[in-house]
Amino acid sequence: MPFLGQDWRSPGWRWVKTEDGWKRSEPFSPALEDGNNQLNDISHTVIITGDDENEEAYSTGDCEFAAKKRKKDHFRNNTDSQCFYREKWIYVHKESTRERHGYCTLGEAFNRLDFSSAIQDIRRFNYVVKLLQLIAKSQLTSLSGAAQKNYFNILDKIVRKVMEDQYNPRLIKDLLQDLSSTLCILIRGVGKSVLVGNINIWICRLETILLWQQQLKNLQMNKQVNNGLTLSDLPLHMLNNILYRFSDGWDIITLGQVTPTLYMLSEDRQLWKKLCQYHFAEKQFCRHLIPSEKGHIDWKLMYFALQKYYPIKEQYGDTLHFCRHCSILFWKDTGHPCTASDPNTCLMPVSPQHFIDLFKF
């Protein structure tokens, strides 16, 4: 395999995709390497303390010790960088082999994959938020300390993006609600026996989550001033066509609150029937029939009733992909060093729940 090192016991070289193809790279980014060089320069300087009459110069050994300590503090406190890996893929292995020792964990995958950049892509935003929500519900304690710190750093970026762009705040409110409920149970019920780090850190994180929830609650949508064509100026058949392309009932209700015309279109029985048929099977309809006052089936109430008992289909603009040939998890546009003759036949999209299941042993 081209990405293995000279020693068959080593995990292999690290590769990065460039315009000229895949090239071997170092595990640290150039920005961090520059930071290391700056920290290394400290060991070559002389630090003078005290008064002019009583000056003391630290030895070279003391300077080297101080430089190493500053390196550790730099890596530990650098919250802007998600991880120190340049590649955007990870090899998923569940058992030890001669080539690789140990196995891949959920926390390692969360650190290695570039979720910080993914939330800036509107195609991946909902995917990452759903993944964070699933981790908050059941997998938060399985993350390592570094992965948990990375989790809250990404969450902070998501909240700031929603506050600035006002994009899909309802989705983030659901995520924060599930996360706060989980933390309350862990802090009060189990405590530090399952949480990595001091319990006071988690209390501060819970307070931060409550602050985020309050900020989102007070979020005011900016009214855009546009003298051109607006949504209300479109013909009825085009507005109706837009509503039929929605896959979330709450989005239909929200859009129906904009104008009386959209409200009338959002209450169409046929619209909600199509939505129910898209997400649920006919056997599920028979168990939860909700007739209206006129004797017809209330498909709108049916949708929300079925949603409580059965999962709905999820749609994402872009997802992580898994290569069955290489056992590598990656973002499709970044690629990976695949050795298959036809890599496209080996790709499989990975849903957020599938991502969690990949690391259950």
Side-chain angles (χ1 to χ4, degrees):
M1 300 177 69
F3 51 88
L4 292 180
Q6 297 178 356
D7 190 350
W8 59 267
R9 295 169 297 180
S10 69
W13 301 112
R14 305 190 187 280
W15 295 77
V16 60
K17 188 175 183 181
T18 63
E19 296 180 355
D20 300 329
W22 289 91
K23 293 185 178 181
R24 197 176 70 196
S25 65
E26 297 298 329
F28 298 104
S29 62
L32 294 177
E33 290 179 355
D34 295 340
N36 291 343
N37 296 333
Q38 294 177 1
L39 293 173
N40 288 331
D41 293 340
I42 300 177
S43 60
H44 301 289
T45 59
V46 179
I47 304 176
I48 308 298
T49 60
D51 300 332
D52 296 337
E53 298 178 356
N54 186 17
E55 296 181 349
E56 180 182 358
Y58 287 99
S59 63
T60 304
D62 294 335
C63 293
E64 291 179 355
F65 177 79
K68 292 180 180 180
K69 186 176 185 304
R70 295 189 183 187
K71 282 184 185 180
K72 292 181 179 179
D73 294 339
H74 171 74
F75 293 138
R76 187 177 304 163
N77 299 325
N78 187 13
T79 58
D80 294 334
S81 60
Q82 179 184 353
C83 55
F84 306 129
Y85 301 97
R86 295 182 61 180
E87 65 269 16
K88 305 297 188 298
W89 51 267
I90 184 171
Y91 178 79
V92 180
H93 53 109
K94 296 186 177 182
E95 58 183 8
S96 298
T97 62
R98 292 193 306 174
E99 291 80 11
R100 293 180 177 271
H101 297 282
Y103 54 88
C104 182
T105 63
L106 177 63
E108 184 180 358
F110 193 81
N111 284 335
R112 292 282 295 271
L113 298 172
D114 190 13
F115 289 108
S116 294
S117 300
I119 61 176
Q120 305 301 328
D121 191 338
I122 193 172
R123 301 171 303 165
R124 301 174 180 172
F125 183 82
N126 291 359
Y127 180 87
V128 176
V129 172
K130 181 62 177 181
L131 178 59
L132 265 63
Q133 188 175 13
L134 292 177
I135 293 177
K137 289 182 178 180
S138 59
Q139 301 296 322
L140 187 61
T141 56
S142 65
L143 298 179
S144 63
Q148 289 176 353
K149 182 178 180 181
N150 188 21
Y151 179 95
F152 282 92
N153 288 338
I154 295 175
L155 185 58
D156 178 53
K157 294 179 181 179
I158 290 176
V159 174
R160 281 186 289 173
K161 179 177 177 60
V162 173
M163 296 297 296
E164 294 174 0
D165 301 343
Q166 301 177 350
Y167 176 73
N168 208 344
R170 176 176 56 83
L171 191 64
I172 313 304
K173 291 179 181 179
D174 295 339
L175 166 60
L176 294 178
Q177 180 61 39
D178 292 336
L179 183 58
S180 62
S181 301
T182 301
L183 286 185
C184 287
I185 295 174
L186 293 176
I187 292 175
R188 298 175 183 176
V190 187
K192 60 183 179 180
S193 60
V194 295
L195 295 176
V196 180
N198 192 292
I199 192 66
N200 294 326
I201 296 177
W202 288 96
I203 294 177
C204 292
R205 287 174 175 172
L206 181 59
E207 293 176 351
T208 303
I209 293 172
L210 297 177
L211 177 61
W212 287 338
Q213 289 178 317
Q214 188 63 34
Q215 291 176 349
L216 291 174
K217 184 179 180 180
N218 299 331
L219 179 63
Q220 298 292 332
M221 305 300 289
N222 296 330
K223 186 176 180 180
Q224 297 182 356
V225 179
N226 189 359
N227 298 325
L229 186 67
T230 63
L231 186 64
S232 303
D233 299 327
L234 297 177
L236 289 180
H237 71 277
M238 295 186 65
L239 294 175
N240 197 41
N241 191 19
I242 292 174
L243 286 170
Y244 269 84
R245 299 194 180 265
F246 283 21
S247 61
D248 192 333
W250 285 109
D251 291 336
I252 296 177
I253 292 178
T254 303
L255 184 59
Q257 296 174 350
V258 177
T259 62
T261 302
L262 288 172
Y263 175 78
M264 177 192 66
L265 295 175
S266 66
E267 294 294 321
D268 183 22
R269 291 180 60 254
Q270 191 66 21
L271 171 65
W272 290 97
K273 181 179 179 180
K274 291 290 185 181
L275 191 63
C276 290
Q277 291 175 343
Y278 172 76
H279 288 288
F280 311 105
E282 292 186 6
K283 295 181 179 179
Q284 299 169 342
F285 295 163
C286 300
R287 300 176 185 176
H288 305 277
L289 289 177
I290 304 177
S292 61
E293 298 178 355
K294 298 181 180 180
H296 303 292
I297 297 178
D298 194 332
W299 292 104
K300 182 178 179 180
L301 292 179
M302 173 78 75
Y303 170 81
F304 290 104
L306 293 173
Q307 193 180 31
K308 296 178 181 179
Y309 299 99
Y310 309 104
I312 62 175
K313 293 182 180 180
E314 299 177 355
Q315 288 184 337
Y316 303 103
D318 190 17
T319 66
L320 287 169
H321 282 70
F322 181 75
C323 179
R324 293 187 293 267
H325 178 78
C326 305
S327 297
I328 287 180
L329 191 64
F330 64 101
W331 293 107
K332 190 174 181 179
D333 59 348
T334 59
H336 72 288
C338 186
T339 59
S341 57
D342 189 3
N344 293 329
T345 60
C346 306
L347 302 185
M348 178 180 63
V350 178
S351 66
Q353 184 60 53
H354 188 196
F355 179 89
I356 301 294
D357 297 337
L358 280 175
F359 303 98
K360 289 183 178 179
F361 305 103

